[in-house]
Amino acid sequence: MSARLKEVPAYRRMKSADLDHVLEIEHTVYPFPWTRGNFHDSLVAGYRCWIMECGGVPVGYSIMAVAAGEAHLLNLSIAESWQRRGLGRDLLRFAMRLALENGARRMLLEVRPSNVAARALYQAAGFRQIGRRRGYYPAEDGREDALVMELALQ
């Protein structure tokens, strides 16, 4: 059973000053986390980088590139202690709205086959698998494939 939130999440653009907190979350939720450089480069490139806050505390973030009518969701993460409260679903819906507002008609993403919770989140939102990238992710015993998923935005 998931806990109920007392506050409605708020969203704001990510800033360089957020990177320490973002990296703290990133390192607790992924065995092979993004680096500070990955996040910094995303900010500099003008990607849609957003922080989700509850009660003024950053609890999640998303990174998305939008171009040529497509949105590519590069990272969507919720702090481990805030998971299983519907925040991932809320952050994904926010990213989908943002993509539409920025002219995207479809959203693409990659997800590890072993990330069962993320796959369930994306499938529940209507994403469907359209491909597989062999050896895309680093893994403990070599490399892991990525499932490529797509959602038509409306």
Side-chain angles (χ1 to χ4, degrees), residues 109-140:
L109 60 85
E110 290 88 15
V111 63
R112 289 175 184 265
S114 63
N115 192 341
V116 176
R119 285 179 40 221
L121 171 69
Y122 299 136
Q123 288 168 343
F127 282 84
R128 63 181 181 86
Q129 183 179 336
I130 61 167
R132 180 180 288 262
R133 299 188 197 279
R134 301 270 178 221
Y136 186 79
Y137 291 112
E140 290 296 328

Side-chain angles (χ1 to χ4, degrees), residues 92-111:
L92 180 58
R93 285 180 183 157
F94 175 80
M96 291 162 55
R97 283 191 310 271
L98 187 63
L100 268 171
E101 290 170 5
N102 284 272
R105 294 294 163 243
R106 73 180 189 144
M107 182 178 279
L108 300 164
L109 60 85
E110 290 88 15
V111 63

